[in-house]
Amino acid sequence: MLFRAEQSVDEKPIFAVNKAAFATDAEARLVDMLRSDSDLAFSQVAEEKGSIIGHIALSPMDVIADEKPVRALGLGPVAVMPKRQLEGLGSQLVQAAIHWARTNQWQLIILLGNPRYYSRFGFSVEDAKPFASPFAGPYFQALWLDETVQKPQSGRAEYAPAFGRL
């Protein structure tokens, strides 16, 4: 198994993985729009025997916490080919994305997803509650990467424009 950065030849296989992993092609189209807008800060694939079987994306967000800007990323989508799900590939992709974000001095990652799954990585619905967002709710979660930042009382979180175009 090889985990590596997306290359230009991976665009169609990445679309196929995201389309296969979800009920509609919305996530696949989202990745294409993020790429087109130059909003893929991190795009990594899982490759086995020359085939792309997993993908994860991080995109910059516009986040304000207690009236101060925060270097934040939106995580998603995370996709693994259905026949390869439940093998830990998604977890490895999420861990790689978190590691990359920490290494590159990002302060916060926000996502929409199942809290039972993402809490194992440190994501919390509670940490996302201060942020006003059209996506706020029981699946809106945050992971603070910068331990020196005091958790805010209020703020707002806006995903890259492509999310609003879905």
Side-chain angles (χ1 to χ4, degrees):
M1 181 72 55
L2 173 65
F3 292 90
R4 62 169 176 78
E6 166 185 326
Q7 300 170 0
S8 60
V9 297
D10 299 327
E11 290 180 20
K12 286 183 181 178
I14 287 170
F15 188 95
V17 167
N18 279 283
K19 186 176 178 184
F22 296 98
T24 71
D25 70 350
E27 285 82 0
R29 289 184 295 110
L30 173 62
V31 173
D32 282 354
M33 287 188 286
L34 289 167
R35 187 183 298 110
S36 177
D37 293 348
S38 298
D39 277 336
L40 278 179
F42 178 84
S43 181
Q44 189 171 61
V45 298
E47 179 182 351
E48 186 174 67
K49 298 177 184 173
S51 294
I52 305 299
I53 59 171
H55 175 255
I56 191 167
L58 291 170
S59 54
M61 293 184 68
D62 182 11
V63 174
I64 301 294
D66 291 337
E67 301 180 14
K68 296 177 188 163
V70 175
R71 283 183 39 93
L73 295 163
L75 187 150
V78 180
V80 174
M81 289 300 273
K83 291 182 180 180
R84 299 303 304 272
Q85 292 176 1
L86 303 174
E87 295 179 14
L89 296 174
S91 292
Q92 289 177 284
L93 288 165
V94 171
Q95 290 168 342
I98 292 169
H99 175 76
W100 179 88
R102 273 198 174 105
T103 301
N104 288 280
Q105 284 84 47
W106 290 90
Q107 296 174 293
L108 179 69
I109 300 175
I110 293 177
L111 63 78
L112 284 172
N114 186 328
R116 285 186 287 153
Y117 180 79
Y118 288 101
S119 64
R120 73 180 83 181
F121 307 105
F123 286 91
S124 161
V125 172
E126 195 63 35
D127 284 347
K129 280 186 179 176
F131 297 103
S133 169
F135 300 100
Y139 297 101
F140 190 61
Q141 300 172 70
L143 171 65
W144 284 99
L145 303 173
D146 183 348
E147 314 267 325
T148 67
V149 173
Q150 183 175 349
K151 293 182 182 176
Q153 298 298 309
S154 66
R156 66 170 170 75
E158 296 176 14
Y159 280 91
F163 283 82
R165 295 197 309 264
L166 280 181

